[in-house]
């Protein structure tokens, strides 16, 4: 009825600074990063960027949900600092389409640019300078990798053509950008390199990530998947590369799920269910739980706050395996954990009671949540199927599957296969490489040769626009069941 002041609980705002993401933070990620960099340069690329002692560079991955950055000493090639922060644009929409629409409104260009630059990128750079004890004048080079929309919004370029036919972005490749022209700290003429885009929905994060995947340097038929708000895929080897993107939506990030949340403290990231009673046992980010009902590890008092993407994959797989839900994602099991509303003919699963949850409110997984998630997983699998069929191939032609993206670190590949999200292949064919976009950007930061290789990769990719490809919608509809309407694909 009038002016109001809103207080946002810290748990709801945690995504701004407490997201569990792949940003070269843990010893495992640092080791993975160092191995990847060595592999890239052992493939024949030279480390040849001009740098004086003390010069530093910053690699930035602008994600739709999360942004990450790393500062490197360009002379010694050591990682001096790393940072991650939720993309400030999130309040303008969870996906790129909504943000493009927001950009077209009055003042939208400046609002979107300010949200990602002033509210997100600049604070990360400030944090990196403080962590490394460096000054702005020491920054001589930037590499920025983001999807096509993120790069446009960062630069204030018009993104409207990205979402409208014939889906031609304002730019695919850029040159001549500097720290001064981009509003970034550092030497005024410090070069800012943007990883090249391939199409409207396959951007610099994927071309940089493909460098890290090493797909371009081998004979094995490799499927590279970057999982996030958008699902981007590359299939091929040193002879050819086919790429496409599907709109998985925010479900993998916890969006459009009633008890969903991003991978922050309190998020359930793995679940096991008793096959008879459907009682859950799970692990929680920031602490482990050996079950519900108040039984916690002695070292932690963390209670569940919701389900993140890997937790959703895990619990849906368990519900289906135990018979609690059917192939359509409808509840059919009987348990105190399952409630049915006879009036609307719908069921829901109690993940945590009010006493067991961090919020003091009941956490439930509804049939509407299951529908949203099934569409997201269906988008990934149908994109894989469409790419393979366009080449007259099937899943047996795949020698390796490489998963990238923050959500990939916690995924149980076997469970992802069981619900029809990933193709049924031996688990040894699957591997996870972390934040491939950031790693690829770091390699570009260290080497003009690696930068040129990424541009070559972009030039050699064939872009498949799924939204206009014949048969894609049929594939998508077929994949919107657990695991799929064609059971032979998962026998």
């Amino acid at each position: 009825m009038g002016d109001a002041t809103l207080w946002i609980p810290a748990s709801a705002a945690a995504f701004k600074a407490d997201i569990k993401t792949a940003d070269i933070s843990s010893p495992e990620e640092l080791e993975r990063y160092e191995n990847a960099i060595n592999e890239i340069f052992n493939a024949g690329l030279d480390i040849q960027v001009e740098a004086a002692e003390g010069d530093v560079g910053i690699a930035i991955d602008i994600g739709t949900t999360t942004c990450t950055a790393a500062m490197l000493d360009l002379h010694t090639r050591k990682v001096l600092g790393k940072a991650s922060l939720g993309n400030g644009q999130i309040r303008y929409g969870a996906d790129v389409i909504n943000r493009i629409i927001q950009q077209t409104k009055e003042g939208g260009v400046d609002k979107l640019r300010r949200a990602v630059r002033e509210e997100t990128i600049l604070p990360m750079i400030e944090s990196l300078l403080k962590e490394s004890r460096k000054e702005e004048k020491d920054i001589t080079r930037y590499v920025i990798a983001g999807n096509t929309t993120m790069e446009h919004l960062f630069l204030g370029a018009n993104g409207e053509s990205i979402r409208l036919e014939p889906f031609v972005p304002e730019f695919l490749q850029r040159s001549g950008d500097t720290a001064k022209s981009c509003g970034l700290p550092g030497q005024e003429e410090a070069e800012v390199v943007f990883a090249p885009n391939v199409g409207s929905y396959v951007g610099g994060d994927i071309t940089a990530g493909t460098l890290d995947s090493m797909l371009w340097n081998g004979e094995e038929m490799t499927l590279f998947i970057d999982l996030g708000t958008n699902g981007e895929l590359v299939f091929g080897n040193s002879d050819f590369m086919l790429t496409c993107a599907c709109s998985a939506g925010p479900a993998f990030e916890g969006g459009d799920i009633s008890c969903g949340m991003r991978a922050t403290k309190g998020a359930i990231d793995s679940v096991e269910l008793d096959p008879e009673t459907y009682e859950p046992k799970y692990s929680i980010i920031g602490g482990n739980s050996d079950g519900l009902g108040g039984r916690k590890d002695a070292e932690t008092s963390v209670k569940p706050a919701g389900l993140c993407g890997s937790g959703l994959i895990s619990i849906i797989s368990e519900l289906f395996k135990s018979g609690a839900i059917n192939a359509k994602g409808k509840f059919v099991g009987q348990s105190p954990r399952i409630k049915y509303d006879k009036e609307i003919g719908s069921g829901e699963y109690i993940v945590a009671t009010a006493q067991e949850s961090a919020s003091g409110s009941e956490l439930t997984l509804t049939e509407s949540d299951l529908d949203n998630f099934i569409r997201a997983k269906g988008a990934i699998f149908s994109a894989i199927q469409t790419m393979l069929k366009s080449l007259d191939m099937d899943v047996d032609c795949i020698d390796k599957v490489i998963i990238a993206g923050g959500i990939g670190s916690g995924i149980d590949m076997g469970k992802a296969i069981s619900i029809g999200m990933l193709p049924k292949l031996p688990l040894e064919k699957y591997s996870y490489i972390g934040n491939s976009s950031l790693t690829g950007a770091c390699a570009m930061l260290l080497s003009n040769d690696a930068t040129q290789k990424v541009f070559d990769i972009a030039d050699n990719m064939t872009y498949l626009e799924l939204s206009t490809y014949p048969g894609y919608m049929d594939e998508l509809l077929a994949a919107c069941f657990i695991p799929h309407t064609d059971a032979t694909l998962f026998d």
Side-chain angles (χ1 to χ4, degrees), residues 58-351:
I58 297 178
I60 302 171
D61 167 40
I62 305 179
T64 307
T65 302
T66 313
C67 297
T68 57
M71 177 181 284
L72 275 60
D73 186 313
L74 298 180
H75 189 67
T76 66
R77 303 191 293 277
K78 290 184 178 179
V79 177
L80 302 178
K82 56 272 182 185
S84 63
L85 202 59
N87 190 329
Q89 292 178 344
I90 194 76
R91 66 179 178 274
Y92 298 110
D95 57 72
V96 295
I97 299 299
N98 277 308
R99 295 188 199 175
I100 291 171
I101 293 171
Q102 286 293 324
Q103 191 198 37
T104 64
K105 298 180 179 180
E106 185 177 354
V109 172
D110 289 335
K111 288 179 181 178
L112 272 295
R113 182 169 51 193
R114 189 162 53 248
V116 70
R117 187 169 64 188
E118 276 76 6
E119 297 179 22
T120 310
I121 302 300
L122 294 185
M124 286 200 301
I125 295 173
E126 183 180 351
S127 172
L128 290 171
L129 289 169
K130 188 177 297 184
E131 181 181 353
S132 62
R133 297 182 179 179
K134 290 289 184 178
E135 299 179 8
E136 290 185 8
K137 64 179 178 62
D138 297 323
I139 303 173
T140 62
R141 183 175 169 90
Y142 283 94
V143 173
I144 296 177
N147 64 51
T148 310
T149 301
M150 290 301 103
E151 291 191 5
H152 276 62
L153 298 184
F154 174 84
L155 289 163
N158 184 3
E160 184 73 356
S161 61
I162 292 174
R163 74 178 187 94
L164 300 175
E165 286 194 75
F167 309 111
V168 179
E170 186 171 302
F171 69 89
L172 290 176
Q173 300 182 5
R174 291 179 65 92
S175 62
D177 292 293
T178 64
K180 182 180 180 180
S181 69
C182 292
L184 296 173
Q187 296 182 11
E188 287 190 356
E189 298 307 311
E191 182 181 23
V192 180
V193 178
F194 287 87
N197 304 303
V198 179
S200 289
Y201 300 110
V202 173
D205 52 345
I206 302 307
T207 54
T210 302
L211 176 73
D212 178 24
S213 75
M214 299 302 292
L215 180 154
W216 52 274
N217 193 52
E219 295 182 0
E220 292 179 302
M221 299 301 295
T222 302
L223 176 62
F224 169 54
I225 307 174
D226 191 307
L227 287 174
T229 308
N230 301 303
E232 294 100 346
L233 302 86
V234 182
F235 180 68
N237 58 12
S238 57
D239 293 327
F240 79 97
M241 287 175 282
L242 180 65
T243 184
C244 70
C246 59
S247 180
F252 290 141
E253 308 285 354
D256 287 346
I257 305 295
S258 60
C259 65
M261 64 182 292
R262 295 175 181 84
T264 64
K265 184 177 180 180
I268 298 171
D269 61 358
S270 179
V271 182
E272 291 183 6
L273 296 186
D274 183 295
E276 301 295 331
T277 64
Y278 309 143
E279 285 293 315
K281 293 183 179 180
Y282 54 85
S283 66
I284 306 172
I285 295 174
N288 292 310
S289 170
D290 60 4
L292 290 171
R295 294 185 296 147
K296 309 293 179 189
D297 286 351
E299 298 178 359
T300 181
S301 59
V302 176
K303 290 186 175 183
L307 287 162
C308 65
S310 58
L312 280 164
I313 292 170
S314 182
I315 196 169
I316 291 172
S317 171
E318 290 286 305
L319 287 169
F320 182 67
K321 182 176 69 173
S322 64
I325 59 175
N326 62 19
K328 295 181 180 179
K330 306 300 181 184
F331 285 98
V332 293
Q334 298 295 325
S335 164
R337 286 276 167 189
I338 299 177
K339 298 189 299 183
Y340 291 97
D341 188 324
K342 294 182 179 179
E343 290 187 7
I344 62 175
S346 180
E348 60 185 20
Y349 175 79
I350 302 172
V351 179

